Amino acid sequence: MIPPSNVPLESIERIWKDIFDHYGYTEKIVRLKDFYPDEKSLIVSFRHISDYSNEFAELLINNPLPTLKVGENLISSMIEKSRDSDSRRVNLRLVDLPDRDVKVGIRDIRSDRIGKIVSISGIIRKRTDVTPRLQNAVFQCSVCAELTIFPQQRGRLEEPPVCSNPECGADRQKAKFKLIDDESEFVDVQKLEIQENPETLEGGAQPQRITVVMEDDITGSLEPGDRVIIDGVLLTDQKRIGAVLLTEFSIYVYCINFRREEKEVESLDITPEDIEEIKRLASRQNIVEDLARSIAPTIYGMDIIKQTLVLQMFGGVRKIMEDGTTIRGDIHILLVGDPGTAKSQLLRYMSEITPRGIFAMGKGSSSAGLTAAAVRDDFGEGRWTLEAGVLVLANDGLAAIDELDKMEKFDTASLHEAMEQQSITISKAGIYATLSTRCSILAAANPDFGRLDPSKSIVEQLKNFPLPLLSRFDIIFRVADVPSSESDTRLADHILKAHRVGEELRKRELTGFEGERLPYEEEFVPVIPKELLKKYVAYAKKSIFPGLSEEAMEIIRSDYVRTRNAISSPGVPITARQLESIIRLAEASARARLSDIVTAEDAIRAKDIVKYYLSESATEEGVLDADIVMTGMSGKQRTIASRVKEIIEEMGGDRGIDFETLKNTVALRGVTNEQLLSSIKTLKSNGFIYSPRDGVYKVIKFDR
Ligand code: ADP
Ligand code: MG
């Protein structure tokens, strides 16, 4: 590319020199000389450039690469004056670019921007390793053995057209050029993929992505999940099939500089008027209930679930103790239920209204799975790439994962780590990275046989879920679809009205015709509009850090002790895990009210939610039994199972025991056939017993 003819090369060099002299860069270049090659870039403020000359600023934006090159060459000549090295690479990196001229959304990039400076913001989704690329190749001529330096572009290796030895001057016909790689000069390169920030997407649209190429000293500093603004030049790459070049091109951004997106300047801009409005809302008497009613108004009922989802949006307080231990503040929720109970609908809605929310399917949403993975694909051109999954991309937000029961096997283990540690470590194929997964998870799952079996616990119906994973959910809601003429009528009525209102709105939008207003239209308008709700949550999460009041602590403590001691069953009605969940929910409730103090009211709301969930999901004959969620068996079942195990061990010995003998033996001790079968199943899946032959059982012995 050649700069426009009205600005000749010499004058570009003179302008750079002037700018360097005028704005104090010359001294910086002198200093750069001392630190080279530990420091290889001169940072230049674009403000100085436009201050010096608007015309030059314009040239730089519209034709950056050759213009920057002149400046870079000038800097390296200034550095080299005192050193006897050959060509040394220096980077001129721009800051303070004018957003107005260069900022563009990833989805709005068009061919008219090719070759110009663009500034894009997004989240890093993939990165390759940093690898060397030939920059100045040194070739040896087969005729005269002299060396020729030949600069390389990205892509295929280019040999020099002729030997640089004037006495030889052989061309490619006469001579063979051999690459001497240890004489050649390399530059570090890294390829990244950046995707649109979730909060800028309209109603669940798929995020668009673009490739970014970094060179030299800025490589290796970003990881998947990082939020950045990339300033760079939009360039093209010709597509090819094998050796055949096509007329289509793909685009990428050659990075000049990048900035990490700071927390305060996140894409949601909350104005002082918004804050006033938010504070007014927060002072309402029943704000949590009002917020819950703003969630998916078209979905009928589910009041407690919606209220819990509100609390999840706000989240509890993340604690970092003096010794470095962290306690998670995010609340994880799982909905298990019958098909057609609006689970998916609810998940989508939550991912849209929660700041930094992302929606994904449990199965095959990307090769990275749910957390992150080292993958080998086209992007890395055969090399390994580190790719982020939903949990990394939703860092600091919400990951809504539908059909979690269909997740891939390899995800189960990493999900567990991601949920509890809130980070995931990848160590594979030379790639080593720890990525943050500090998000709350809202997941939905269908039971193993499609429909909930009311006679069985949830755990028994989710056999693909390892228990340690299940127990990381603060709340597991059972969403049953039970026919009842009263609630069916109301549900049908609600859905019909929703469709009726929808028809009317659509007609109004497309024809501009006002028509009649339906009397029940109001029911479907959220009490708090979506956009405001999003800002409300973002504001509260950023600025409110509530602490438990004495009163709240007393309520939670005494209730915990009372519940644990109330029942004399073999199980435990509630465990310390649920206690922590109650604390998180209570903090979230205070946050939703923009209160610095967790009051009695917050504590009561939280404990009621947890008790409701336990009573729905973890009861044995009507008695609370947290063991069902914690161990997969109620206390009673567990005693039966351990009795069965003892019998297998005693009578089976080394040979094992056959089913008939086992059945007859346990029957004498009051164990029914059904209880026996379910005990065998649980003992097997928990790795206590196995079948050496069909119908024979043996206890697995652990060597010590
Ligand atoms: P699931 O994911 O639980 O199988 P979906 O979210 O796909 O269910 O819901 C199926 C359809 O039924 C959706 O169109 C949803 O709006 C409707 N639906 C189910 N339950 C309700 C409800 N309580 N209120 C309103 N619509 C509902
Ligand atoms: Mg569904």
Side-chain angles (χ1 to χ4, degrees), residues 298-300 338-345 491 495:
T298 53
I299 297 174
Y300 172 77
D338 290 328
T341 46
K343 298 186 299 298
S344 301
Q345 190 97 328
L491 173 65
I495 293 181

Side-chain angles (χ1 to χ4, degrees), residues 457-660:
S457 76
I458 282 199
V459 178
E460 279 176 287
Q461 303 180 60
L462 287 176
K463 280 288 177 241
N464 285 337
F465 278 66
L467 277 159
L469 180 59
L470 267 190
S471 64
R472 289 308 183 275
F473 284 98
D474 293 273
I475 305 281
I476 303 174
F477 279 124
R478 191 178 188 130
V479 195
D481 181 16
V482 189
S484 113
S485 61
E486 191 202 343
S487 67
D488 288 350
T489 312
R490 271 188 275 144
L491 173 65
D493 195 41
H494 189 86
I495 293 181
L496 286 165
K497 282 177 177 170
H499 279 254
R500 183 71 196 88
V501 171
E503 290 163 358
E504 211 51 47
L505 291 174
R506 187 81 180 136
K507 189 155 61 186
R508 249 173 250 165
E509 184 193 325
L510 292 182
T511 64
F513 180 64
E514 258 305 312
E516 56 169 333
R517 272 192 85 77
L518 301 166
Y520 41 80
E521 235 168 77
E522 287 300 313
E523 283 176 38
F524 298 93
V525 181
V527 188
I528 299 154
K530 265 184 171 182
E531 272 317 298
L532 184 62
L533 182 56
K534 214 171 184 173
K535 289 177 180 176
Y536 190 141
V537 174
Y539 173 76
K541 277 183 94 164
K542 196 173 65 182
S543 41
I544 309 285
F545 298 91
L548 290 160
S549 64
E550 271 305 322
E551 243 182 320
M553 284 165 94
E554 179 48 35
I555 287 173
I556 297 174
R557 185 191 310 121
S558 60
D559 184 72
Y560 179 70
V561 175
R562 190 157 4 100
T563 314
R564 272 181 77 92
N565 292 315
I567 319 137
S568 53
S569 81
V572 191
I574 187 168
T575 71
R577 277 244 164 82
Q578 280 84 44
L579 183 64
E580 288 195 310
S581 300
I582 294 177
I583 298 170
R584 281 192 269 272
L585 288 164
E587 287 165 352
S589 167
R591 222 178 217 171
R593 300 185 296 106
L594 298 189
S595 159
D596 285 331
I597 298 158
V598 179
T599 59
E601 170 206 3
D602 298 316
I604 291 169
R605 187 194 312 281
K607 88 172 167 50
D608 285 352
I609 288 175
V610 171
K611 286 256 183 96
Y612 170 82
Y613 132 64
L614 288 174
S615 72
E616 286 275 293
S617 308
T619 52
E620 168 90 0
E621 287 155 12
V623 176
L624 269 195
D625 191 340
D627 274 3
I628 297 177
V629 209
M630 295 296 123
T631 66
M633 284 183 266
S634 69
K636 189 169 157 205
Q637 272 176 314
R638 204 177 38 192
T639 24
I640 294 173
S642 69
R643 218 179 304 156
V644 170
K645 187 185 145 217
E646 273 165 31
I647 294 170
I648 297 177
E649 190 163 19
E650 276 167 30
M651 299 186 57
D654 287 338
R655 295 186 11 260
I657 180 169
D658 65 277
F659 183 74
E660 279 306 307

Side-chain angles (χ1 to χ4, degrees), residues 13-39:
E13 191 180 278
R14 209 205 56 238
I15 294 172
W16 276 124
K17 181 128 195 45
D18 258 10
I19 291 175
F20 292 165
D21 284 344
H22 253 79
Y23 299 95
Y25 290 106
T26 310
E27 293 93 84
K28 289 191 181 141
I29 295 171
V30 173
R31 234 174 299 145
L32 190 62
K33 189 160 68 183
D34 296 335
F35 290 105
Y36 196 92
D38 291 334
E39 272 175 42

